[in-house]
Amino acid sequence: MKLDTRAAAAAAALLCASALGIGTLAAATPALANSGPTTKRTPPAAAKRAPKPRAKARAKATPKASTTPKPTPTGPVVISVASLSSAYGSTAGGTTVVLTGKGFSRVDATKKSSVLFGTTPATTFLVLSDTQIAATAPAGTGTKVQVSVTDGTYTSPDTTGDDFTYLDPITVAVPDRTELSAAGGTVVRLTLSGKNLDLGTSQSTFAAKKITATVDGTTAPLTWVDATHVDLTAPAGLPTKTGAKLPIVVYNNGVAGPADSTHARYDAVVTKLSVTSGKLAGTTGSTAKPALTITGVGLATATGFTFGKTPGTCTAAAGKESTTWTCVNIPAGPAGAVPVLPTFTDGTTAGLTAGSIYTYTNL
């Protein structure tokens, strides 16, 4: 039987497909592929071409690690106290302290706990500005405390500038009827007392204690004597009128103790006489050539001078009423030394000094 040419070709193609594999059948036998019904296959989408990788950026040099550790952040400081006008105060309280810092305008002035000395509220305080507060320290023990400020949310951190130390005040006793030269230089022995009083054992150790004194507000040097006594050298001052007394205060490192205001006064004094001796009959001079020139301190309100108990003829030098007077004549007097002293009607007193002595003699 004679095979159909088409069928023979298809059979040959089928044999080839067995050798090449099913996947190539359609390509190898196009005639067979078109010889019957087939399902059209959609070829898979071509894979996208991957972009070429860019050249790697040149690596930057890695900096060396710092050997210093970074501080741990603690948050913003909203309120702070940088310094105090006084780092010391009395254990009795009452020391006025001006705080300098920042953030003080945030403080509620109605709350006592806004300003603390340690854990104790200030007796009073006044917000002067955003950077200053004036406060009165409360009483405390002899210790160092932190002065802090708070607005209720933020509190000033502890610094070396906000330290306040309580010290025991020193009480001074002045001898009764102490008369101080208005010219200065009078030495007065003071008795000191107080809790935990320590004056040292010598002048050098005493000086290290920073114990000082004032007379009527003027600084007066102190010299160590023993465990409870010091010698005060009074500065110059104005004569006390109407018998009034002046305050003497001793300070413990700037902390004032109670003043003694009942036992000392300043006296007007004669410090020098141009002539220190003369005849018993006295000496006669003139306006152009006075018999005596008197130099002193606090003489402005004097009404005249006496030689012992005898008044002299003396007047104040123009423009130098407080320090210089001249006597046209020196009155007669008994043999011996007498004080030359000013007289006052306003209650001012005069003190006796070596410079005010005049001696009558015929030798």
Side-chain angles (χ1 to χ4, degrees):
M1 185 175 182
K2 200 172 185 179
L3 291 174
D4 183 65
T5 308
R6 276 182 159 181
L14 184 59
L15 292 173
C16 289
S18 300
L20 296 174
I22 300 300
T24 60
L25 178 59
T29 57
L32 181 61
N34 295 325
S35 63
T38 59
T39 302
K40 191 174 180 179
R41 300 177 65 185
T42 304
K48 292 184 179 180
R49 211 177 265 182
K52 293 182 179 180
R54 294 181 180 179
K56 292 184 178 179
R58 184 176 295 175
K60 295 182 179 180
T62 304
K64 293 183 178 180
S66 172
T67 56
T68 303
K70 293 182 179 180
T72 302
T74 57
V77 177
V78 178
I79 300 178
S80 66
V81 178
S83 63
L84 306 176
S85 62
S86 176
Y88 300 91
S90 172
T91 53
T95 303
T96 299
V97 182
V98 176
L99 289 64
T100 298
K102 72 174 185 179
F104 297 159
S105 58
R106 302 172 59 92
V107 171
D108 186 347
T110 65
K111 293 184 177 180
K112 290 185 177 181
S113 59
S114 294
V115 179
L116 298 175
F117 284 71
T119 58
T120 306
T123 303
T124 60
F125 73 88
L126 177 65
V127 178
L128 304 177
S129 67
D130 188 62
T131 59
Q132 285 195 322
I133 291 177
T136 303
T141 58
T143 58
K144 181 186 291 185
V145 299
Q146 176 197 359
V147 180
S148 60
V149 177
T150 181
D151 66 352
T153 301
Y154 297 98
T155 301
S156 60
D158 192 7
T159 68
T160 56
D162 63 18
D163 290 340
F164 183 82
T165 301
Y166 282 101
L167 297 176
D168 295 306
I170 297 175
T171 300
V172 57
V174 181
D176 192 22
R177 298 182 182 180
T178 294
E179 295 185 355
L180 308 177
S181 167
T186 306
V187 176
V188 182
R189 182 151 296 182
L190 308 177
T191 301
L192 306 184
S193 60
K195 185 178 180 181
N196 300 316
L197 179 67
D198 181 7
L199 302 183
T201 57
S202 66
Q203 180 59 31
S204 60
T205 56
F206 171 72
K209 302 294 181 181
K210 296 183 180 180
I211 296 173
T212 57
T214 59
V215 177
D216 201 21
T218 302
T219 301
L222 294 177
T223 302
W224 181 83
V225 176
D226 56 35
T228 57
H229 296 89
V230 293
D231 281 344
L232 175 146
T233 302
L238 295 175
T240 306
K241 297 180 179 180
T242 64
K245 306 299 190 300
L246 50 90
I248 294 180
V249 181
V250 173
Y251 300 80
N252 185 2
N253 208 331
V255 176
D260 184 323
S261 303
T262 59
H263 297 106
R265 67 183 183 185
Y266 269 120
D267 289 336
V269 292
V270 171
T271 57
K272 182 180 179 181
L273 302 175
S274 62
V275 177
T276 58
S277 63
K279 297 179 180 180
L280 301 180
T283 304
T284 301
S286 65
T287 302
K289 190 176 181 179
L292 178 66
T293 297
I294 301 172
T295 302
V297 177
L299 309 178
T301 60
T303 56
F305 278 82
T306 58
F307 289 72
K309 295 182 180 181
T310 306
T313 308
C314 306
T315 57
K320 297 181 179 180
E321 293 82 0
S322 181
T323 60
T324 307
W325 286 60
T326 58
C327 301
V328 174
N329 298 312
I330 297 175
V338 296
V340 178
L341 298 175
T343 56
F344 300 92
T345 58
D346 62 359
T348 300
T349 56
L352 183 64
T353 68
S356 65
I357 302 302
Y358 182 83
T359 301
Y360 285 100
T361 178
N362 281 331
L363 299 176

